Structures are given as structure tokens and as C-alpha cells.
Amino acid sequence: MNAPLPSPDDSGERLAEVQYCMPPALEAFHDMYVKAYLNYAHTMLGDKDAARAVVRRCFSHLALNWERVMRQESPEAYAWALLKVRVDTHLRLAGLDPQLVETAAFQRTASAVLESVRCTFAVMETALGLYTAIASLPERQYDAIVLLYVLGYPSDKVASIMGVERDTVRSHRRLARRRIAKKLGLPPYAVADEKKD
């Protein structure tokens, strides 16, 4: 149900009453990805309310630009990139030091990765080395590690969330694990890919 837009002289109270009538395709898109977006934003921001606000703004943008979004080669990739920009913008506007937020996210990621490959990382000297290794991953590899190991999504879902092929997710995961092993001074086979698809 659509409510009237506030007039220019309104003080803004009516803005909260404005509701958008979403096209069915956008509703389906929302239902499919909102939980993953909220989980990712919360992991990056460390604040559930901030995560909700960021994801709400992301979906508002998608709603207002839905026709253009649907013309994209991959609407999922477009929306994922938009979410990441919104998270970064929130950090900058809130005056948060991304290193502190990233460190918290790295700790969660490191803990999850460490648990999943405990035997192969038995030789690791400290968790700090793993945090540093994860911090140095390229963006797409980092996203794959967070979605797979921190948030626990299967490869198919990660591919869908990121708007890429399943093989691309496997490649990101494999390359990330190799980089982590190299950074930790472990042989490449020490971090065998144990995540089943």
C-alpha cells in the first residue's frame, strides 16, 4: 500500500509512513538475500541496528532503481557490490576506524577457519598470524571466506549471494586458503580444501 509522499514543508515525521510497493521480483530477491545481507553487514559492522539500517538503505536503493538493476548482467553481483559500498559508507560516516571493525571481523573469520582446519593449522604459532593472513586476502577471496566459514553458507548460496558461478567461489576459496598457508609459512597442501560443496 502506497502512502502519499510528504510535502516539502513537512518536518519529516511523515517520512517514516512512506511505504514502497515492491514488484514481485524484488520481493523474491529480498526474501532470498536479506538474511545473508544482514548477517554480512552485522559481521562487518559489529552492530545489529547499524546492519539493519544499511541493508534497509540497500534495498530502498534497489527498489527505486529496480528496472535498471534488472538490466544488469548479474543483478545479484550489482546488489552485492551495492551492499559492500553501503557498509563502507556507514563506517566512514560513523567515523569508525575500519581497521578496528576489520579486526573484529578477522577474529570471527579466523576462529571459524581455524576450527574448520584445526588439524592442518596445528603448526600455527599464533592466531594473530592467521588474522593478518586473512586481512591480506583480496576482496573477493575475503568475501568468500567470510560467507563460507563465518556465516556458514554452502558454496551454491555464496555463489548466488555474490552473483558469481559456483566454480568461481571454489576458486576464491582455494586461492584464499593457499594465500593463508603461504602467509603462515605452511606448505600449500597443509590447508587442504575440506569444505564440501
Side-chain angles (χ1 to χ4, degrees):
M1 174 201 252
N2 292 331
L5 292 173
S7 65
D9 55 72
D10 277 346
S11 63
E13 290 93 30
R14 290 187 52 205
L15 210 50
E17 298 172 12
V18 176
Q19 297 178 10
Y20 298 99
C21 184
M22 290 197 291
L26 177 56
E27 281 189 49
F29 189 92
H30 176 273
D31 292 346
M32 185 176 290
Y33 297 114
V34 70
K35 185 176 179 181
Y37 285 19
L38 285 168
N39 288 337
Y40 184 84
H42 181 241
T43 299
M44 296 299 115
L45 301 173
D47 178 344
K48 284 185 180 181
D49 291 334
R52 277 192 218 100
V54 165
V55 172
R56 190 176 307 115
R57 285 192 300 271
C58 182
F59 276 100
S60 293
H61 175 89
L62 293 174
L64 293 171
N65 297 282
W66 188 243
E67 287 182 29
R68 189 180 76 179
V69 171
M70 292 307 292
R71 289 192 301 266
Q72 299 294 316
E73 184 176 330
S74 171
E76 293 85 357
Y78 176 89
W80 179 251
L82 175 66
L83 173 67
K84 292 175 62 65
V85 167
R86 296 283 177 169
V87 167
D88 182 59
T89 300
H90 179 85
L91 289 171
R92 284 187 285 112
L93 291 176
L96 297 175
D97 183 357
Q99 292 301 315
L100 293 175
V101 173
E102 289 174 4
T103 299
F106 295 156
Q107 289 172 345
R108 289 185 65 185
T109 303
S111 175
V113 171
L114 185 58
E115 184 61 34
S116 72
V117 292
R118 183 170 295 284
C119 294
T120 56
F121 281 146
V123 297
M124 190 172 76
E125 293 176 33
T126 66
L128 186 57
L130 183 56
Y131 301 157
T132 303
I134 292 169
S136 69
L137 290 173
E139 180 181 0
R140 302 297 261 171
Q141 291 173 21
Y142 176 77
D143 290 349
I145 292 296
V146 169
L147 290 167
L148 288 164
Y149 294 105
V150 175
L151 301 177
Y153 292 111
S155 293
D156 288 343
K157 182 71 173 177
V158 172
S160 181
I161 291 167
M162 292 177 68
V164 298
E165 297 295 323
R166 184 175 162 195
D167 289 342
T168 303
V169 171
R170 275 192 232 138
S171 176
H172 288 323
R173 181 179 63 217
R174 185 179 59 253
L175 293 171
R177 293 169 70 98
R178 285 182 186 164
R179 282 179 185 260
I180 290 169
K182 184 176 181 180
K183 199 81 159 169
L184 296 175
L186 300 173
Y189 59 81
V191 284
D193 200 354
E194 297 171 0
K195 180 101 172 141
K196 301 297 181 204
D197 293 316

